[in-house]
Amino acid sequence: MTAPLLEIDRLDIGFGPLSAVRGASLQVRRGETHCLVGESGCGKSVTALAVMGLLARNATRNAVSMRFDGQELMGLDEKAMSRLRGDRMAMIFQEPMTSLNPAYTVGSQMAEVMLRHRGGTRRAALDRAAELLAKVRITSPGMRLGQYPHQLSGGLRQRVMIAMALMCSPELLIADEPTTALDVTVQAQILRLLADLQKDLGLAILLITHDLGVVARTAHHVSVMYAGQVVETAPVADLFANPMHPYTRGLLSCVPVPGKVRPGDPLGSIPGMVPRVEHAFAGCAFRQRCDLARPDCAGTIPRRDFAPGHDYLCQIEPAALVTA
Amino acid sequence: MVQFLLRRLLVALLVSVTVLTFAFALTRLSGDLAISIAGPNATANDIEVVRKAYGLDQPLITQFFSWIGRAMVGDFGQSYFYRERVSTLIFSRLPITLTLGLVGLGIAVSVALPLGVISALREGRPIDRVISLVALVGQAMPSFWLALVLMITLGLNLGWLPISGTGTWQHFVMPGIVLSFSAIPALLRLTRSGMIDAMAADYIRTARAKGLSRMSIVLKHAARNAAMPVVSIAAVQLGFMLGGSIVIETVFALHGVGFLAWESISKNDFPTVQAVVLLLAVIYTLLTLGADLLNALLDPRLRAQ
Ligand SMILES: Nc1ncnc2c1ncn2[C@@H]1O[C@H](COP(=O)(O)OP(=O)(O)O)[C@@H](O)[C@H]1O
Ligand code: SF4
Ligand SMILES: [Mg+2]
């Protein structure tokens, strides 16, 4: 098996005294979709931003290693990161309405990615932009190039963001809840589009989403995040068939039949809230909300293997959990 | 775009009419014009003659409309003091004031914009604090005092610049610097806050995610969006500078419109005072209109209205 395209090994992100991500590891393979799920505030967005080198100035980032196509990203300076961003790794965001610059045309904003990383003429860059607008199924691409963001709907803007992300044929696309701000019907279209593009172009996608239907239909692997930790990782079928971590089980609780997920199925809701944790926090962060919590859940929690590629972070052994 | 323009023009027109009325009322409210014009030694008869000759015996409304009618075609009558046509008087003085205002704005913009951008990019750091402090001190300095300090140092002690008159471009440097001081703090603050807002916007995160250079992120993506309020305030400041150049023109003996205003006020030269007030109002309105147009060029959302 070839090495993963993106390999995050024990990533830590802090904001002052607060710890937003704690030892998170995950791997995205070439040409695969890796879904990252979890409630709001679990650290999904900051994990994605950390990969791109786009964390806010008040954030601290540490990792044993973070490799992209074998290249170590930790310690890479801003200049070297900016050469990767938009060229070999691209990102789209949750806020299509505000993510495009209101003062410039679609064409100009798309073309500058190409001009920055590949050079060439403006004409060639605009031709490429038109080609990609067509690829994300926007009608009359030539006309759209001259339009400003305020002339486009939210769904169209997100399509433009996707097309813009693809300008330099990146190997990795990070999509942070790309449909949360859109209408339900538009959501489905955008997600289908992403899935098709992924097959067409052999893209690797790190997709942050709340939609279990999307996870079931598009993901190859899934990582579940809770309070800054990856509490379970598994191939998608395995996760739906045998969710191990009590938190994962809570998220999947609204799925009536295991493995039978419909588009638009939301994550299950679990009573209680995600705690904000400080650096010295010890034990399982889920224990206030966990039905299976035991006294030793306040101690060190081991990572346990359930099956190849399927591990979880819990005090309880697989055999005991399966029957629980 | 057309609607946007029409609306702006309508506002400009309303402002002009209001100012016309005020300019007229101002001089009529300040006492009996005929007495002032006839002078301190005039007899009651002289005053009546003056009253008839200047049309001051007509009803106010008639006087108002005939004044407007003449003002529309640029006829502001004779100056009581200079015995010259007011329009000639003003147009001979206008270039000096305009030059001064533009030099002042030029200096203000070239100081305030870079400093504002640096301040924003280093928000909360020592350099940001120092810049804010300097701007504050600059704002607190009275312009006549600053003018004197400059005249003594640059003019008398160092001999680098002439201290009065309008002969060469060097004559405009010191007055321009003094004038710019009044505009720098506001321009700087708006540039700073505009850039801070813009740099925190989602489209800047997108620009960074695209791998664009720092230069392009700051100067292309952020500055364009931060520029709009700055353009508006720059126009207002230029208006202030043109209107407020009275002190500076007097101190540096520049015979511009400001100096003329000062003279005509102190000499009860009402036609000139009225015309100057009106001129400043018109310039002010034109500047705001210009700023609106410039903003429409900068912001496609405005053009769409
Ligand atoms: N710029 C920031 N400054 C301070 N705290 C932040 C910042 N960005 C994110 N956080 C904190 O980090 C945690 C994880 O946030 P985030 O990654 O956005 O969560 P998610 O995307 O999973 O909803 C949250 O507690 C959030 O408050
Ligand atoms: S470690 Fe304990 S509290 Fe945490 S999920 Fe497992 S059983 Fe629940
Ligand atoms: Mg998020």
Side-chain angles (χ1 to χ4, degrees):
Chain A
M1 189 181 268
T2 57
L5 178 63
L6 177 69
E7 251 183 310
I8 304 174
D9 189 6
R10 280 161 284 170
L11 172 68
D12 287 311
I13 299 168
F15 291 97
L18 291 175
S19 182
V21 172
R22 302 177 293 146
S25 299
L26 68 87
Q27 303 182 344
V28 182
R29 290 170 203 288
R30 284 168 207 283
E32 286 193 4
T33 297
H34 191 112
C35 281
L36 193 55
V37 300
E39 289 162 292
S40 269
C42 281
K44 304 180 300 293
S45 295
V46 290
T47 300
L49 291 171
V51 173
M52 296 288 289
L54 293 178
L55 283 172
R57 254 208 307 246
N58 60 338
T60 51
R61 182 185 74 164
N62 264 302
V64 172
S65 90
M66 194 155 65
R67 275 195 291 275
F68 175 75
D69 192 24
Q71 183 184 9
E72 181 58 58
L73 298 181
M74 296 304 295
L76 216 56
D77 64 10
E78 170 59 23
K79 202 167 167 189
M81 273 312 295
S82 75
R83 300 225 172 278
L84 286 177
R85 286 199 298 261
D87 185 9
R88 301 189 57 198
M89 51 168 86
M91 183 162 178
I92 60 173
F93 303 94
Q94 195 175 341
E95 303 86 4
M97 299 311 282
T98 49
S99 289
L100 290 163
N101 193 328
Y104 294 99
T105 59
V106 166
S108 133
Q109 295 186 59
M110 290 183 73
E112 68 182 342
V113 189
M114 195 79 182
L115 294 172
R116 159 78 172 163
H117 296 290
R118 299 289 159 83
T121 64
R122 200 181 147 72
R123 186 66 253 163
L126 286 172
D127 286 346
R128 167 83 179 148
E131 181 191 318
L132 280 166
L133 286 180
K135 190 150 195 75
V136 298
R137 298 169 203 155
I138 288 182
T139 52
S140 36
M143 180 263 286
R144 300 294 183 187
L145 288 178
Q147 286 191 314
Y148 288 93
H150 75 265
Q151 295 169 292
L152 309 175
S153 67
L156 275 175
R157 289 189 213 190
Q158 197 62 296
R159 282 173 202 266
V160 168
M161 284 295 292
I162 296 171
M164 190 158 77
L166 299 178
M167 281 296 280
C168 294
S169 312
E171 291 137 271
L172 175 67
L173 174 67
I174 300 180
D176 187 357
E177 301 188 39
T179 61
T180 307
L182 303 173
D183 294 341
V184 180
T185 49
V186 182
Q187 287 189 6
Q189 292 166 5
I190 297 278
L191 288 162
R192 201 172 319 126
L193 172 68
L194 279 176
D196 292 350
L197 287 170
Q198 200 247 322
K199 285 199 198 78
D200 268 17
L201 307 172
L203 264 179
I205 298 181
L206 177 60
L207 177 63
I208 300 173
T209 178
H210 278 140
D211 188 331
L212 284 180
V214 172
V215 177
R217 280 182 308 130
T218 67
H220 296 90
H221 287 88
V222 186
S223 289
V224 181
M225 264 191 112
Y226 186 75
Q229 292 177 307
V230 174
V231 295
E232 185 159 7
T233 296
V236 65
D238 217 8
L239 188 89
F240 280 105
N242 298 303
M244 299 305 288
H245 197 280
Y247 180 64
T248 311
R249 293 179 173 194
L251 293 182
L252 301 184
S253 64
C254 67
V255 180
V257 188
K260 287 262 156 33
V261 186
R262 290 182 312 272
D265 274 347
L267 296 176
S269 62
I270 306 162
M273 285 194 357
V274 184
R276 299 181 125 248
V277 300
E278 308 213 335
H279 293 294
F281 186 87
C284 176
F286 189 56
R287 65 182 186 270
Q288 271 80 27
R289 306 167 74 185
C290 180
D291 295 334
L292 305 177
R294 330 184 290 203
D296 60 350
C297 295
T300 309
I301 314 292
R303 188 167 290 281
R304 299 176 183 280
D305 287 319
F306 174 70
H310 184 172
D311 58 56
Y312 66 99
L313 193 67
C314 180
Q315 203 59 269
I316 305 179
E317 288 166 25
L321 267 178
V322 166
T323 55
Chain B
M1 183 70 184
V2 173
Q3 245 194 35
F4 170 79
L5 273 183
L6 284 180
R7 218 167 28 223
R8 295 295 141 149
L9 275 172
L10 189 70
V11 171
L13 198 70
L14 282 177
V15 171
S16 307
V17 169
T18 314
V19 170
L20 271 172
T21 315
F22 271 106
F24 179 79
L26 208 63
T27 54
R28 307 293 142 153
L29 286 177
S30 56
D32 191 337
L33 273 183
I35 299 178
S36 319
I37 298 166
N41 304 323
T43 61
N45 198 31
D46 292 342
I47 293 174
E48 279 319 302
V49 171
V50 166
R51 198 184 299 284
K52 281 227 162 48
Y54 284 86
L56 296 172
D57 54 342
Q58 304 285 318
L60 265 185
I61 193 81
T62 320
Q63 291 182 38
F64 180 56
F65 279 109
S66 78
W67 178 68
I68 286 188
R70 280 180 276 118
M72 288 291 180
V73 294
D75 176 10
F76 296 97
Q78 290 284 126
S79 159
Y80 297 164
F81 177 68
Y82 282 98
R83 306 292 163 202
E84 221 183 316
R85 302 205 61 75
V86 173
S87 45
T88 325
L89 203 54
I90 285 185
F91 281 102
S92 69
R93 305 284 186 107
L94 197 54
I96 290 173
T97 300
L98 287 181
T99 310
L100 181 57
L102 289 176
V103 169
L105 184 72
I107 295 174
V109 162
S110 43
V111 171
L113 264 47
L115 286 186
V117 171
I118 291 171
S119 249
L121 297 180
R122 297 277 179 276
E123 188 192 352
R125 312 260 185 95
I127 181 88
D128 177 28
R129 305 246 165 85
V130 169
I131 290 173
S132 298
L133 189 72
V134 170
L136 201 69
V137 171
Q139 191 171 27
M141 265 192 289
S143 47
F144 66 87
W145 182 79
L146 181 65
L148 289 178
V149 169
L150 286 183
M151 284 166 116
I152 292 168
T153 53
L154 298 184
L156 297 178
N157 292 352
L158 297 170
W160 289 351
L161 292 165
I163 57 171
S164 74
T166 52
T168 63
W169 65 267
Q170 282 104 326
H171 285 94
F172 287 93
V173 176
M174 266 200 282
I177 292 176
V178 177
L179 202 51
S180 73
F181 260 68
S182 60
I184 286 176
L187 279 173
L188 195 150
R189 262 195 298 274
L190 263 170
T191 307
R192 179 179 177 277
S193 65
M195 281 301 286
I196 288 174
D197 287 350
M199 288 302 288
D202 286 345
Y203 56 78
I204 292 300
R205 185 184 56 191
T206 306
R208 294 178 62 212
K210 284 152 72 171
L212 300 183
S213 66
R214 180 103 182 124
M215 192 79 121
S216 161
I217 291 170
V218 172
L219 295 184
K220 182 177 175 192
H221 286 273
R224 174 82 170 255
N225 286 282
M228 288 171 241
V230 175
V231 166
S232 302
I233 203 74
V236 172
Q237 291 292 340
L238 181 56
F240 282 161
M241 285 195 227
L242 294 176
S245 61
I246 294 188
V247 174
I248 288 152
E249 290 189 9
T250 311
V251 173
F252 288 96
L254 301 174
H255 288 241
V257 177
F259 193 65
L260 180 66
W262 179 72
E263 281 178 316
S264 52
I265 290 169
S266 60
K267 302 244 160 43
N268 280 345
D269 187 356
F270 291 110
T272 313
V273 175
Q274 276 179 331
V276 169
V277 169
L278 195 60
L279 176 74
L280 286 177
V282 168
I283 290 181
Y284 215 88
T285 321
L286 286 179
L287 283 176
T288 339
L289 198 62
D292 286 341
L293 289 179
L294 206 53
N295 273 339
L297 282 182
L298 287 171
D299 187 351
R301 286 165 298 185
L302 277 182
R303 282 201 297 274
Q305 285 174 16

